[in-house]
Amino acid sequence: MPVSVLLVDDEPLVRAGLRAVLEAQPDIEVVGEAANGAAVIPLVRRLRPDVVAMDVRMPLMDGIEATRAVLRTVDAPPKILVVTTFEDDELVYEALRAGADGFLLKRARPAEIVHAVRLVAEGESLLFPASVRRLAARYGDGAAARPARAVPARARLTEREAEVLRLMARGLSNAEIAERLVVGTETVKSHVSGVLAKLGARDRTQAVIAAYESRFVEPR
């Protein structure tokens, strides 16, 4: 089955460009489009896409609120890939906090766009370590004014889980973490699952954001 994608962007040219890039791949199918976040939930429920490519700045409802709404109200929600013009946008950070699985720059090359969609569809999080560190350093200090997040305290994570979380925050994949720690990939997956469960995190992105905001990992 091809990966099904819903495109959400208020600029028709952006949607057309993404559609052309994605539909050139035999394993990806664009199943629908929307021009604002308010139209996302009905389309997600009707089309059941695997991935939503979501613009962060849109009229009526932006990508942050749309992401929250999808994750809050849709059973078995799709993966959400935020598409943005500026990687240091505060709204990108808020979208990641809201539950987006990663972000993609609109200026990305076609191969990078295709890779991003495939990656999040497979259940991986698309993180750019340097960018996320900058975002956390710039905007994470305001976390106290936001709803409370799970704090990865040392007492709750085993020593190995803490080590895995730090490597996750550096953007390493399970295979790269396994190589670094000289263990099997399945062992790493087990540790990652333990980290997510203890932090109450939906995915790797949420765990990394929590690690930065709690200063368990220092963004600077």
Side-chain angles (χ1 to χ4, degrees), residues 67-194:
T67 295
R68 291 194 183 109
V70 168
L71 298 180
R72 184 176 63 247
T73 64
V74 176
D75 293 331
K79 302 297 182 179
I80 297 178
L81 184 61
V82 172
V83 183
T84 178
T85 303
F86 305 106
E87 62 184 292
D88 60 351
D89 191 337
E90 182 177 7
L91 292 184
V92 173
Y93 188 73
E94 289 299 332
L96 294 176
R97 291 187 84 256
D101 297 278
F103 68 93
L104 176 69
L105 296 177
K106 291 185 179 181
R107 65 173 183 271
R109 294 173 297 178
E112 293 171 333
I113 296 171
V114 171
H115 174 69
V117 168
R118 288 174 177 155
L119 195 66
V120 297
E122 292 169 359
E124 294 286 345
S125 294
L126 186 67
L127 287 175
F128 301 91
S131 296
V132 175
R133 279 198 297 272
R134 286 196 300 270
L135 288 167
R138 182 174 300 182
Y139 304 118
D141 288 336
R146 304 184 182 109
R149 297 180 62 86
V151 177
R154 293 177 184 272
R156 298 180 60 204
L157 297 178
T158 67
E159 183 177 346
R160 182 46 61 93
E161 287 170 343
E163 191 172 13
V164 167
L165 178 56
R166 293 189 184 97
L167 293 175
M168 288 165 57
R170 292 174 58 183
L172 273 65
S173 66
N174 285 347
E176 291 168 332
I177 294 174
E179 182 177 358
R180 180 69 60 87
L181 300 180
V182 195
V183 297
T185 304
E186 291 303 316
T187 299
V188 173
K189 289 181 179 178
S190 177
H191 288 314
V192 170
S193 296

